Amino acid sequence: MEVKRAKTAGFCFGVKRAVDTVYEQLEKEKDSQIQIYTYGPIIHNEEVVKDMEKKGIKVLKSQEDLEQLTEGIVIIRSHGVPEYICTKLNEKGLTVIDATCPFVKKIHRIVKRESQNGAQIVIIGNPNHPEVEGIKGWAEKNVTVIQDTQEAEKFTAEPGKAVCIVAQTTFNYNKFQDLVEIISKKGYDVSVLNTICSATKERQTEAHRIAEEVDAMIVIGDKHSSNTQKLFEICQKACKDTYYIQTLDDLDLNQLGSVETVGITAGASTPNNIIEEVQNNVRIIF
Ligand code: F3S
């Protein structure tokens, strides 16, 4: 009987950096009266956000919350924010700490530069995801978000405009290529920048391999985390007994009673202590 834990399970570089930034600031300001805020939840994980709130962090949930602020430190989340939010934060004279993942920041720079050069920007991604909302906000104008074949088929560029295509960092690579192919066939002057983060692909490939080898698979992550949802879909296709849990409390260990091998993976915003707690308890029943 065996438990196989994915080496890529848990925090990616960008998420770890953002979470560490918050705890470092808390430590630094522990004797001061300065309030620390994060703009939106720092990462997509309720447990982590709850722990930070317990330690005194306040989460700004909307632009209206930001309007009310007159002082304090604001930490920008790993997903990034539109440029106008950065401008607003600076205009208000707040202390801003940018914990946007550098890979996302790179997309902001590309989008700003290319749109200033007159290109029409296409973002391949989920329009409702905060990362995509942030990326959109770095284009001057002419930005289109495309997430499926139908939208790619319908896409038309303005006459004479070059088209610059970028991707949400966690978008599926094969789907990205399919959508790029559809747009490229339309005869526009297209430049494609594959901005998908390799951490996502590595995590998905390993999860798929493990799911194929085990009797049951456990995917740990927040219900709102799109990369965890994607991992769950991938694992479920390879292993019928796949469970999506946020913490150990969501797992019915009796369900695993008769299996011989269990795989464990976790989304990029799942902290190590939650993964370890699940792993240790699964080991006990074997
Ligand atoms: Fe950054 Fe890649 Fe993680 S873009 S936040 S390192 S998944």
PDB file of all heavy atoms in Angstrom, residues 27-50:
ATOM      1  N   GLU A  27       5.345  41.021  10.408  1.00  0.00           N
ATOM      2  CA  GLU A  27       6.439  40.964  11.379  1.00  0.00           C
ATOM      3  C   GLU A  27       7.081  42.352  11.529  1.00  0.00           C
ATOM      4  O   GLU A  27       7.307  42.823  12.640  1.00  0.00           O
ATOM      5  CB  GLU A  27       7.457  39.908  10.865  1.00  0.00           C
ATOM      6  CG  GLU A  27       8.674  39.669  11.729  1.00  0.00           C
ATOM      7  CD  GLU A  27       8.333  39.226  13.162  1.00  0.00           C
ATOM      8  OE1 GLU A  27       7.269  38.627  13.364  1.00  0.00           O
ATOM      9  OE2 GLU A  27       9.144  39.533  14.064  1.00  0.00           O
ATOM     10  N   LYS A  28       7.316  42.982  10.384  1.00  0.00           N
ATOM     11  CA  LYS A  28       7.983  44.279  10.384  1.00  0.00           C
ATOM     12  C   LYS A  28       7.168  45.355  11.121  1.00  0.00           C
ATOM     13  O   LYS A  28       7.715  46.213  11.803  1.00  0.00           O
ATOM     14  CB  LYS A  28       8.170  44.709   8.918  1.00  0.00           C
ATOM     15  CG  LYS A  28       9.373  45.573   8.676  1.00  0.00           C
ATOM     16  CD  LYS A  28       9.626  45.712   7.198  1.00  0.00           C
ATOM     17  CE  LYS A  28       9.990  47.137   6.883  1.00  0.00           C
ATOM     18  NZ  LYS A  28       9.798  47.475   5.498  1.00  0.00           N
ATOM     19  N   GLU A  29       5.852  45.282  10.951  1.00  0.00           N
ATOM     20  CA  GLU A  29       4.986  46.340  11.510  1.00  0.00           C
ATOM     21  C   GLU A  29       4.331  45.927  12.827  1.00  0.00           C
ATOM     22  O   GLU A  29       3.383  46.575  13.261  1.00  0.00           O
ATOM     23  CB  GLU A  29       3.893  46.714  10.491  1.00  0.00           C
ATOM     24  CG  GLU A  29       4.397  47.215   9.161  1.00  0.00           C
ATOM     25  CD  GLU A  29       5.231  48.496   9.266  1.00  0.00           C
ATOM     26  OE1 GLU A  29       5.086  49.229  10.261  1.00  0.00           O
ATOM     27  OE2 GLU A  29       6.059  48.729   8.366  1.00  0.00           O
ATOM     28  N   LYS A  30       4.817  44.808  13.420  1.00  0.00           N
ATOM     29  CA  LYS A  30       4.082  44.286  14.586  1.00  0.00           C
ATOM     30  C   LYS A  30       4.003  45.277  15.757  1.00  0.00           C
ATOM     31  O   LYS A  30       3.043  45.259  16.509  1.00  0.00           O
ATOM     32  CB  LYS A  30       4.622  42.933  15.032  1.00  0.00           C
ATOM     33  CG  LYS A  30       6.020  42.906  15.610  1.00  0.00           C
ATOM     34  CD  LYS A  30       6.284  41.484  16.128  1.00  0.00           C
ATOM     35  CE  LYS A  30       7.545  41.405  16.922  1.00  0.00           C
ATOM     36  NZ  LYS A  30       8.765  41.192  16.264  1.00  0.00           N
ATOM     37  N   ASP A  31       4.979  46.162  15.878  1.00  0.00           N
ATOM     38  CA  ASP A  31       4.932  47.118  16.993  1.00  0.00           C
ATOM     39  C   ASP A  31       4.391  48.487  16.575  1.00  0.00           C
ATOM     40  O   ASP A  31       4.332  49.401  17.382  1.00  0.00           O
ATOM     41  CB  ASP A  31       6.331  47.281  17.597  1.00  0.00           C
ATOM     42  CG  ASP A  31       6.822  45.970  18.174  1.00  0.00           C
ATOM     43  OD1 ASP A  31       5.981  45.239  18.741  1.00  0.00           O
ATOM     44  OD2 ASP A  31       8.008  45.648  18.029  1.00  0.00           O
ATOM     45  N   SER A  32       4.027  48.625  15.303  1.00  0.00           N
ATOM     46  CA  SER A  32       3.508  49.923  14.854  1.00  0.00           C
ATOM     47  C   SER A  32       1.981  49.879  14.798  1.00  0.00           C
ATOM     48  O   SER A  32       1.374  48.814  14.917  1.00  0.00           O
ATOM     49  CB  SER A  32       4.070  50.279  13.477  1.00  0.00           C
ATOM     50  OG  SER A  32       3.371  49.569  12.486  1.00  0.00           O
ATOM     51  N   GLN A  33       1.386  51.006  14.588  1.00  0.00           N
ATOM     52  CA  GLN A  33      -0.085  51.082  14.517  1.00  0.00           C
ATOM     53  C   GLN A  33      -0.560  51.021  13.066  1.00  0.00           C
ATOM     54  O   GLN A  33      -1.748  51.182  12.801  1.00  0.00           O
ATOM     55  CB  GLN A  33      -0.564  52.424  15.131  1.00  0.00           C
ATOM     56  CG  GLN A  33      -0.234  52.605  16.598  1.00  0.00           C
ATOM     57  CD  GLN A  33      -0.900  51.541  17.466  1.00  0.00           C
ATOM     58  OE1 GLN A  33      -2.084  51.266  17.307  1.00  0.00           O
ATOM     59  NE2 GLN A  33      -0.129  50.908  18.339  1.00  0.00           N
ATOM     60  N   ILE A  34       0.376  50.820  12.156  1.00  0.00           N
ATOM     61  CA  ILE A  34       0.009  50.896  10.731  1.00  0.00           C
ATOM     62  C   ILE A  34      -0.815  49.678  10.306  1.00  0.00           C
ATOM     63  O   ILE A  34      -0.445  48.536  10.567  1.00  0.00           O
ATOM     64  CB  ILE A  34       1.282  51.009   9.851  1.00  0.00           C
ATOM     65  CG1 ILE A  34       2.063  52.260  10.247  1.00  0.00           C
ATOM     66  CG2 ILE A  34       0.934  51.036   8.354  1.00  0.00           C
ATOM     67  CD1 ILE A  34       3.416  52.390   9.598  1.00  0.00           C
ATOM     68  N   GLN A  35      -1.926  49.967   9.651  1.00  0.00           N
ATOM     69  CA  GLN A  35      -2.796  48.883   9.170  1.00  0.00           C
ATOM     70  C   GLN A  35      -2.282  48.373   7.818  1.00  0.00           C
ATOM     71  O   GLN A  35      -1.944  49.155   6.935  1.00  0.00           O
ATOM     72  CB  GLN A  35      -4.237  49.409   9.033  1.00  0.00           C
ATOM     73  CG  GLN A  35      -5.214  48.397   8.484  1.00  0.00           C
ATOM     74  CD  GLN A  35      -5.400  47.179   9.388  1.00  0.00           C
ATOM     75  OE1 GLN A  35      -5.642  47.301  10.577  1.00  0.00           O
ATOM     76  NE2 GLN A  35      -5.240  45.996   8.796  1.00  0.00           N
ATOM     77  N   ILE A  36      -2.232  47.039   7.702  1.00  0.00           N
ATOM     78  CA  ILE A  36      -1.828  46.441   6.420  1.00  0.00           C
ATOM     79  C   ILE A  36      -3.063  45.855   5.726  1.00  0.00           C
ATOM     80  O   ILE A  36      -3.860  45.153   6.342  1.00  0.00           O
ATOM     81  CB  ILE A  36      -0.773  45.327   6.623  1.00  0.00           C
ATOM     82  CG1 ILE A  36       0.407  45.855   7.465  1.00  0.00           C
ATOM     83  CG2 ILE A  36      -0.274  44.777   5.276  1.00  0.00           C
ATOM     84  CD1 ILE A  36       1.399  44.787   7.855  1.00  0.00           C
ATOM     85  N   TYR A  37      -3.183  46.171   4.438  1.00  0.00           N
ATOM     86  CA  TYR A  37      -4.301  45.679   3.627  1.00  0.00           C
ATOM     87  C   TYR A  37      -3.746  44.841   2.474  1.00  0.00           C
ATOM     88  O   TYR A  37      -2.602  45.034   2.062  1.00  0.00           O
ATOM     89  CB  TYR A  37      -5.079  46.839   2.999  1.00  0.00           C
ATOM     90  CG  TYR A  37      -5.642  47.824   3.982  1.00  0.00           C
ATOM     91  CD1 TYR A  37      -4.883  48.926   4.394  1.00  0.00           C
ATOM     92  CD2 TYR A  37      -6.934  47.680   4.480  1.00  0.00           C
ATOM     93  CE1 TYR A  37      -5.401  49.852   5.303  1.00  0.00           C
ATOM     94  CE2 TYR A  37      -7.458  48.612   5.381  1.00  0.00           C
ATOM     95  CZ  TYR A  37      -6.691  49.688   5.789  1.00  0.00           C
ATOM     96  OH  TYR A  37      -7.201  50.596   6.671  1.00  0.00           O
ATOM     97  N   THR A  38      -4.574  43.942   1.968  1.00  0.00           N
ATOM     98  CA  THR A  38      -4.221  43.336   0.676  1.00  0.00           C
ATOM     99  C   THR A  38      -5.314  43.768  -0.303  1.00  0.00           C
ATOM    100  O   THR A  38      -6.483  43.888   0.084  1.00  0.00           O
ATOM    101  CB  THR A  38      -4.145  41.788   0.720  1.00  0.00           C
ATOM    102  OG1 THR A  38      -5.426  41.258   1.071  1.00  0.00           O
ATOM    103  CG2 THR A  38      -3.098  41.314   1.704  1.00  0.00           C
ATOM    104  N   TYR A  39      -4.922  44.027  -1.555  1.00  0.00           N
ATOM    105  CA  TYR A  39      -5.938  44.413  -2.537  1.00  0.00           C
ATOM    106  C   TYR A  39      -6.526  43.134  -3.117  1.00  0.00           C
ATOM    107  O   TYR A  39      -5.901  42.454  -3.923  1.00  0.00           O
ATOM    108  CB  TYR A  39      -5.359  45.307  -3.646  1.00  0.00           C
ATOM    109  CG  TYR A  39      -6.478  45.900  -4.465  1.00  0.00           C
ATOM    110  CD1 TYR A  39      -7.119  47.057  -4.049  1.00  0.00           C
ATOM    111  CD2 TYR A  39      -6.936  45.253  -5.610  1.00  0.00           C
ATOM    112  CE1 TYR A  39      -8.190  47.567  -4.755  1.00  0.00           C
ATOM    113  CE2 TYR A  39      -8.010  45.761  -6.323  1.00  0.00           C
ATOM    114  CZ  TYR A  39      -8.636  46.912  -5.882  1.00  0.00           C
ATOM    115  OH  TYR A  39      -9.708  47.394  -6.585  1.00  0.00           O
ATOM    116  N   GLY A  40      -7.721  42.756  -2.671  1.00  0.00           N
ATOM    117  CA  GLY A  40      -8.302  41.455  -2.987  1.00  0.00           C
ATOM    118  C   GLY A  40      -7.621  40.406  -2.127  1.00  0.00           C
ATOM    119  O   GLY A  40      -6.600  40.695  -1.488  1.00  0.00           O
ATOM    120  N   PRO A  41      -8.175  39.188  -2.079  1.00  0.00           N
ATOM    121  CA  PRO A  41      -7.492  38.140  -1.315  1.00  0.00           C
ATOM    122  C   PRO A  41      -6.107  37.902  -1.930  1.00  0.00           C
ATOM    123  O   PRO A  41      -5.992  37.839  -3.152  1.00  0.00           O
ATOM    124  CB  PRO A  41      -8.391  36.908  -1.513  1.00  0.00           C
ATOM    125  CG  PRO A  41      -9.624  37.386  -2.177  1.00  0.00           C
ATOM    126  CD  PRO A  41      -9.358  38.706  -2.795  1.00  0.00           C
ATOM    127  N   ILE A  42      -5.085  37.816  -1.108  1.00  0.00           N
ATOM    128  CA  ILE A  42      -3.713  37.757  -1.626  1.00  0.00           C
ATOM    129  C   ILE A  42      -3.522  36.558  -2.560  1.00  0.00           C
ATOM    130  O   ILE A  42      -2.833  36.643  -3.571  1.00  0.00           O
ATOM    131  CB  ILE A  42      -2.671  37.754  -0.470  1.00  0.00           C
ATOM    132  CG1 ILE A  42      -1.253  37.956  -0.994  1.00  0.00           C
ATOM    133  CG2 ILE A  42      -2.733  36.505   0.375  1.00  0.00           C
ATOM    134  CD1 ILE A  42      -0.870  39.378  -1.223  1.00  0.00           C
ATOM    135  N   ILE A  43      -4.156  35.444  -2.226  1.00  0.00           N
ATOM    136  CA  ILE A  43      -4.162  34.266  -3.124  1.00  0.00           C
ATOM    137  C   ILE A  43      -5.539  33.619  -3.029  1.00  0.00           C
ATOM    138  O   ILE A  43      -6.309  33.948  -2.131  1.00  0.00           O
ATOM    139  CB  ILE A  43      -3.072  33.212  -2.748  1.00  0.00           C
ATOM    140  CG1 ILE A  43      -3.246  32.716  -1.307  1.00  0.00           C
ATOM    141  CG2 ILE A  43      -1.685  33.772  -2.964  1.00  0.00           C
ATOM    142  CD1 ILE A  43      -2.416  31.491  -0.979  1.00  0.00           C
ATOM    143  N   HIS A  44      -5.825  32.663  -3.896  1.00  0.00           N
ATOM    144  CA  HIS A  44      -7.103  31.962  -3.846  1.00  0.00           C
ATOM    145  C   HIS A  44      -7.041  30.817  -2.843  1.00  0.00           C
ATOM    146  O   HIS A  44      -6.999  29.646  -3.227  1.00  0.00           O
ATOM    147  CB  HIS A  44      -7.442  31.409  -5.241  1.00  0.00           C
ATOM    148  CG  HIS A  44      -8.219  32.357  -6.072  1.00  0.00           C
ATOM    149  ND1 HIS A  44      -8.187  32.362  -7.442  1.00  0.00           N
ATOM    150  CD2 HIS A  44      -9.076  33.344  -5.726  1.00  0.00           C
ATOM    151  CE1 HIS A  44      -8.971  33.317  -7.890  1.00  0.00           C
ATOM    152  NE2 HIS A  44      -9.512  33.929  -6.873  1.00  0.00           N
ATOM    153  N   ASN A  45      -6.981  31.141  -1.563  1.00  0.00           N
ATOM    154  CA  ASN A  45      -7.073  30.088  -0.556  1.00  0.00           C
ATOM    155  C   ASN A  45      -7.647  30.669   0.734  1.00  0.00           C
ATOM    156  O   ASN A  45      -7.004  31.470   1.399  1.00  0.00           O
ATOM    157  CB  ASN A  45      -5.707  29.440  -0.288  1.00  0.00           C
ATOM    158  CG  ASN A  45      -5.860  28.209   0.591  1.00  0.00           C
ATOM    159  OD1 ASN A  45      -6.082  28.318   1.782  1.00  0.00           O
ATOM    160  ND2 ASN A  45      -5.778  27.049  -0.002  1.00  0.00           N
ATOM    161  N   GLU A  46      -8.882  30.218   1.040  1.00  0.00           N
ATOM    162  CA  GLU A  46      -9.614  30.751   2.202  1.00  0.00           C
ATOM    163  C   GLU A  46      -8.853  30.571   3.505  1.00  0.00           C
ATOM    164  O   GLU A  46      -8.866  31.449   4.360  1.00  0.00           O
ATOM    165  CB  GLU A  46     -10.939  29.992   2.342  1.00  0.00           C
ATOM    166  CG  GLU A  46     -12.097  30.644   1.643  1.00  0.00           C
ATOM    167  CD  GLU A  46     -13.362  29.806   1.778  1.00  0.00           C
ATOM    168  OE1 GLU A  46     -13.531  29.130   2.808  1.00  0.00           O
ATOM    169  OE2 GLU A  46     -14.160  29.825   0.823  1.00  0.00           O
ATOM    170  N   GLU A  47      -8.207  29.394   3.667  1.00  0.00           N
ATOM    171  CA  GLU A  47      -7.510  29.102   4.924  1.00  0.00           C
ATOM    172  C   GLU A  47      -6.380  30.108   5.162  1.00  0.00           C
ATOM    173  O   GLU A  47      -6.193  30.610   6.255  1.00  0.00           O
ATOM    174  CB  GLU A  47      -6.911  27.677   4.919  1.00  0.00           C
ATOM    175  CG  GLU A  47      -7.908  26.573   4.619  1.00  0.00           C
ATOM    176  CD  GLU A  47      -9.059  26.548   5.606  1.00  0.00           C
ATOM    177  OE1 GLU A  47      -8.795  26.671   6.809  1.00  0.00           O
ATOM    178  OE2 GLU A  47     -10.225  26.438   5.162  1.00  0.00           O
ATOM    179  N   VAL A  48      -5.631  30.371   4.095  1.00  0.00           N
ATOM    180  CA  VAL A  48      -4.509  31.304   4.199  1.00  0.00           C
ATOM    181  C   VAL A  48      -5.035  32.706   4.503  1.00  0.00           C
ATOM    182  O   VAL A  48      -4.529  33.405   5.388  1.00  0.00           O
ATOM    183  CB  VAL A  48      -3.673  31.305   2.887  1.00  0.00           C
ATOM    184  CG1 VAL A  48      -2.609  32.376   2.928  1.00  0.00           C
ATOM    185  CG2 VAL A  48      -3.048  29.942   2.649  1.00  0.00           C
ATOM    186  N   VAL A  49      -6.080  33.109   3.783  1.00  0.00           N
ATOM    187  CA  VAL A  49      -6.637  34.460   3.972  1.00  0.00           C
ATOM    188  C   VAL A  49      -7.191  34.611   5.396  1.00  0.00           C
ATOM    189  O   VAL A  49      -6.956  35.625   6.063  1.00  0.00           O
ATOM    190  CB  VAL A  49      -7.710  34.764   2.897  1.00  0.00           C
ATOM    191  CG1 VAL A  49      -8.412  36.092   3.170  1.00  0.00           C
ATOM    192  CG2 VAL A  49      -7.072  34.788   1.513  1.00  0.00           C
ATOM    193  N   LYS A  50      -7.866  33.559   5.895  1.00  0.00           N
ATOM    194  CA  LYS A  50      -8.418  33.604   7.256  1.00  0.00           C
ATOM    195  C   LYS A  50      -7.292  33.777   8.272  1.00  0.00           C
ATOM    196  O   LYS A  50      -7.395  34.549   9.210  1.00  0.00           O
ATOM    197  CB  LYS A  50      -9.173  32.290   7.555  1.00  0.00           C
ATOM    198  CG  LYS A  50     -10.665  32.385   7.290  1.00  0.00           C
ATOM    199  CD  LYS A  50     -11.360  31.181   7.876  1.00  0.00           C
ATOM    200  CE  LYS A  50     -12.042  30.387   6.789  1.00  0.00           C
ATOM    201  NZ  LYS A  50     -12.343  29.016   7.121  1.00  0.00           N
TER     202      LYS A  50
END
